Coordinates of all heavy atoms in Angstrom, one line a residue:
G1538 N 3.0 10.4 -19.5 CA 3.7 11.0 -18.3 C 3.3 10.5 -17.0 O 3.8 11.0 -16.0
V1539 N 2.3 9.6 -16.9 CA 1.8 9.1 -15.6 C 2.2 7.6 -15.5 O 1.9 6.8 -16.3 CB 0.3 9.2 -15.5 CG1 -0.2 8.7 -14.2 CG2 -0.1 10.7 -15.7
T1540 N 2.9 7.3 -14.4 CA 3.3 5.9 -14.1 C 2.5 5.3 -13.0 O 2.1 6.0 -12.0 CB 4.8 5.8 -13.8 OG1 5.1 6.7 -12.7 CG2 5.6 6.3 -15.0
F1541 N 2.2 4.0 -13.1 CA 1.6 3.3 -12.1 C 2.5 2.2 -11.6 O 3.2 1.5 -12.4 CB 0.3 2.6 -12.6 CG -0.9 3.6 -12.7 CD1 -0.9 4.5 -13.7 CD2 -1.9 3.5 -11.8 CE1 -2.0 5.4 -13.9 CE2 -3.0 4.4 -11.9 CZ -3.0 5.3 -12.9
S1542 N 2.6 2.0 -10.3 CA 3.5 1.0 -9.8 C 2.9 0.3 -8.6 O 2.2 0.9 -7.8 CB 4.8 1.6 -9.4 OG 5.8 0.7 -8.9
A1543 N 3.1 -1.0 -8.4 CA 2.6 -1.7 -7.2 C 3.8 -2.4 -6.6 O 4.7 -3.0 -7.3 CB 1.6 -2.8 -7.6
V1544 N 3.9 -2.3 -5.3 CA 5.0 -3.0 -4.6 C 4.4 -4.2 -3.8 O 3.4 -4.1 -3.2 CB 5.7 -2.0 -3.6 CG1 4.7 -1.4 -2.6 CG2 6.8 -2.7 -2.8
A1545 N 5.1 -5.3 -3.9 CA 4.6 -6.6 -3.3 C 5.7 -7.1 -2.3 O 6.5 -7.9 -2.6 CB 4.4 -7.6 -4.4
P1546 N 5.6 -6.5 -1.1 CA 6.5 -6.9 -0.1 C 6.1 -8.3 0.6 O 4.9 -8.7 0.4 CB 6.5 -5.8 0.9 CG 5.1 -5.3 0.8 CD 4.7 -5.4 -0.6
G1547 N 7.0 -8.9 1.3 CA 6.7 -10.0 2.1 C 6.4 -9.5 3.5 O 5.7 -8.5 3.7
F1548 N 6.9 -10.2 4.5 CA 6.6 -9.9 5.9 C 7.4 -8.6 6.2 O 8.6 -8.5 6.0 CB 7.0 -11.0 6.9 CG 6.1 -12.2 6.7 CD1 6.6 -13.3 6.1 CD2 4.8 -12.3 7.2 CE1 5.8 -14.5 5.9 CE2 4.0 -13.4 7.1 CZ 4.5 -14.5 6.4
V1549 N 6.7 -7.6 6.8 CA 7.3 -6.3 7.1 C 7.1 -6.0 8.6 O 6.0 -6.3 9.1 CB 6.7 -5.2 6.3 CG1 7.5 -3.9 6.5 CG2 6.8 -5.5 4.8
R1550 N 8.1 -5.5 9.2 CA 8.0 -5.1 10.7 C 7.2 -3.9 10.8 O 7.7 -2.8 10.8 CB 9.4 -5.0 11.3 CG 10.2 -6.2 11.3 CD 11.6 -6.0 12.0 NE 12.4 -7.2 11.9 CZ 13.3 -7.4 10.9 NH1 13.5 -6.4 10.0 NH2 14.1 -8.5 10.9
T1551 N 5.9 -4.0 11.0 CA 4.9 -2.9 11.3 C 3.9 -3.4 12.3 O 4.1 -4.5 12.9 CB 4.2 -2.6 10.0 OG1 3.3 -3.6 9.6 CG2 5.1 -2.2 8.8
E1552 N 2.9 -2.6 12.5 CA 1.8 -2.9 13.5 C 0.8 -3.9 12.9 O -0.1 -4.4 13.6 CB 1.1 -1.7 13.9 CG 2.0 -0.6 14.6 CD 1.2 0.6 15.0 OE1 -0.1 0.6 14.7 OE2 1.8 1.6 15.4
F1553 N 0.9 -4.3 11.6 CA -0.1 -5.0 10.9 C -0.5 -6.3 11.7 O -1.7 -6.6 11.9 CB 0.4 -5.3 9.5 CG -0.6 -6.1 8.7 CD1 -1.6 -5.4 8.0 CD2 -0.5 -7.5 8.6 CE1 -2.5 -6.1 7.2 CE2 -1.5 -8.2 7.8 CZ -2.5 -7.5 7.1
H1554 N 0.5 -7.1 12.0 CA 0.2 -8.4 12.6 C -0.2 -8.3 14.0 O -1.1 -9.1 14.5 CB 1.4 -9.4 12.4 CG 1.7 -9.7 11.0 ND1 2.7 -9.0 10.3 CD2 1.2 -10.6 10.1 CE1 2.7 -9.5 9.0 NE2 1.8 -10.5 8.9
A1555 N 0.3 -7.3 14.7 CA -0.1 -7.1 16.1 C -1.5 -6.8 16.2 O -2.2 -7.2 17.1 CB 0.8 -6.0 16.7
R1556 N -2.0 -6.0 15.2 CA -3.4 -5.6 15.2 C -4.3 -6.8 15.0 O -5.5 -6.8 15.4 CB -3.7 -4.6 14.1 CG -3.1 -3.2 14.4 CD -3.3 -2.3 13.3 NE -2.9 -0.9 13.6 CZ -2.8 0.1 12.7 NH1 -3.2 -0.1 11.5 NH2 -2.3 1.3 13.1
L1557 N -3.8 -7.9 14.4 CA -4.5 -9.1 14.2 C -4.4 -10.0 15.4 O -5.0 -11.1 15.4 CB -4.0 -9.8 12.9 CG -4.3 -9.1 11.6 CD1 -3.7 -10.0 10.5 CD2 -5.8 -8.9 11.4
G1558 N -3.6 -9.6 16.4 CA -3.3 -10.5 17.5 C -2.4 -11.6 17.3 O -2.5 -12.7 17.9
I1559 N -1.5 -11.5 16.3 CA -0.6 -12.6 15.9 C 0.8 -12.2 16.2 O 1.2 -11.1 15.8 CB -0.8 -12.8 14.3 CG1 -2.2 -13.2 14.0 CG2 0.2 -14.0 13.9 CD1 -2.5 -13.3 12.5
E1560 N 1.5 -13.1 16.8 CA 2.9 -12.8 17.1 C 3.8 -13.1 15.8 O 3.5 -14.0 15.0 CB 3.4 -13.8 18.2 CG 2.8 -13.6 19.5 CD 3.2 -12.2 20.1 OE1 4.3 -11.7 19.8 OE2 2.4 -11.7 20.9
R1561 N 4.8 -12.2 15.6 CA 5.6 -12.4 14.4 C 6.3 -13.8 14.4 O 6.4 -14.3 13.3 CB 6.7 -11.3 14.4 CG 6.2 -9.9 14.1 CD 7.3 -8.9 14.1 NE 6.8 -7.5 14.0 CZ 7.6 -6.5 14.3 NH1 8.8 -6.6 14.7 NH2 7.0 -5.3 14.1
A1562 N 6.7 -14.2 15.5 CA 7.4 -15.6 15.5 C 6.5 -16.7 15.1 O 6.9 -17.7 14.6 CB 7.9 -15.8 16.9
D1563 N 5.2 -16.5 15.2 CA 4.2 -17.5 14.8 C 4.0 -17.4 13.3 O 3.4 -18.4 12.7 CB 2.9 -17.3 15.5 CG 3.0 -17.6 17.0 OD1 3.9 -18.3 17.4 OD2 2.2 -17.0 17.7
M1564 N 4.3 -16.3 12.6 CA 4.1 -16.1 11.2 C 5.2 -16.6 10.3 O 5.0 -17.2 9.3 CB 3.8 -14.6 10.9 CG 2.5 -14.1 11.5 SD 1.1 -14.9 10.8 CE 1.2 -14.3 9.1
A1565 N 6.4 -16.2 10.7 CA 7.6 -16.5 9.9 C 8.9 -16.4 10.6 O 8.9 -15.7 11.6 CB 7.6 -15.6 8.7
P1566 N 10.0 -17.1 10.2 CA 11.3 -16.9 10.9 C 11.8 -15.5 10.7 O 11.4 -14.8 9.8 CB 12.1 -18.0 10.2 CG 11.4 -18.2 8.9 CD 10.0 -18.0 9.1
K1567 N 12.8 -15.2 11.5 CA 13.3 -13.8 11.5 C 13.9 -13.4 10.2 O 13.8 -12.2 9.8 CB 14.5 -13.7 12.6 CG 14.0 -13.7 14.0 CD 15.1 -13.6 15.0 CE 14.6 -13.6 16.4 NZ 15.7 -13.4 17.4
W1568 N 14.5 -14.3 9.4 CA 15.1 -13.9 8.1 C 14.1 -13.5 7.1 O 14.5 -12.8 6.1 CB 16.0 -15.1 7.6 CG 15.2 -16.3 7.1 CD1 14.9 -17.4 7.9 CD2 14.6 -16.5 5.8 NE1 14.1 -18.3 7.1 CE2 14.0 -17.8 5.9 CE3 14.5 -15.8 4.7 CZ2 13.3 -18.3 4.8 CZ3 13.8 -16.3 3.6 CH2 13.2 -17.6 3.6
M1569 N 12.8 -13.8 7.3 CA 11.8 -13.4 6.3 C 11.2 -12.0 6.6 O 10.5 -11.5 5.7 CB 10.7 -14.4 6.3 CG 11.1 -15.8 5.8 SD 9.7 -16.9 5.6 CE 8.9 -16.2 4.2
W1570 N 11.6 -11.3 7.7 CA 11.0 -10.0 8.0 C 11.9 -8.9 7.4 O 13.1 -8.9 7.6 CB 10.9 -9.9 9.5 CG 9.8 -10.8 10.1 CD1 10.0 -12.1 10.5 CD2 8.5 -10.6 10.2 NE1 8.8 -12.6 10.9 CE2 7.9 -11.7 10.7 CE3 7.7 -9.4 9.9 CZ2 6.5 -11.8 11.0 CZ3 6.3 -9.5 10.1 CH2 5.7 -10.7 10.7
L1571 N 11.2 -7.9 6.8 CA 11.9 -6.8 6.2 C 11.6 -5.5 7.0 O 10.5 -5.4 7.7 CB 11.4 -6.6 4.8 CG 11.6 -7.7 3.8 CD1 10.9 -7.4 2.5 CD2 13.1 -8.1 3.6
D1572 N 12.5 -4.6 7.0 CA 12.3 -3.3 7.6 C 11.4 -2.4 6.7 O 11.6 -2.4 5.5 CB 13.6 -2.6 7.9 CG 14.4 -3.2 9.0 OD1 13.8 -3.8 9.9 OD2 15.7 -3.2 9.0
A1573 N 10.5 -1.6 7.3 CA 9.7 -0.8 6.6 C 10.5 0.2 5.7 O 10.1 0.5 4.6 CB 8.7 -0.1 7.5
S1574 N 11.5 0.8 6.3 CA 12.3 1.8 5.6 C 12.9 1.2 4.3 O 12.9 1.9 3.3 CB 13.5 2.3 6.5 OG 14.3 1.2 6.9
F1575 N 13.4 -0.1 4.3 CA 13.9 -0.7 3.1 C 12.8 -0.9 2.1 O 13.0 -0.7 0.9 CB 14.6 -2.0 3.5 CG 14.9 -2.9 2.3 CD1 16.0 -2.6 1.6 CD2 14.1 -4.0 2.0 CE1 16.3 -3.4 0.4 CE2 14.4 -4.7 0.9 CZ 15.5 -4.4 0.1
V1576 N 11.7 -1.4 2.5 CA 10.6 -1.7 1.6 C 10.1 -0.4 0.9 O 10.0 -0.4 -0.3 CB 9.4 -2.3 2.3 CG1 8.1 -2.4 1.4 CG2 9.7 -3.7 2.8

Side-chain angles (χ1 to χ4, degrees):
V1539 181
T1540 59
F1541 283 75
S1542 183
V1544 58
F1548 294 104
V1549 185
R1550 296 184 184 93
T1551 66
E1552 299 176 6
F1553 180 85
H1554 296 94
R1556 289 176 177 174
L1557 295 178
I1559 302 173
E1560 295 292 333
R1561 288 180 187 165
D1563 296 333
M1564 292 294 298
K1567 289 183 178 180
W1568 66 267
M1569 293 186 70
W1570 291 91
L1571 302 175
D1572 289 330
S1574 59
F1575 168 77
V1576 170

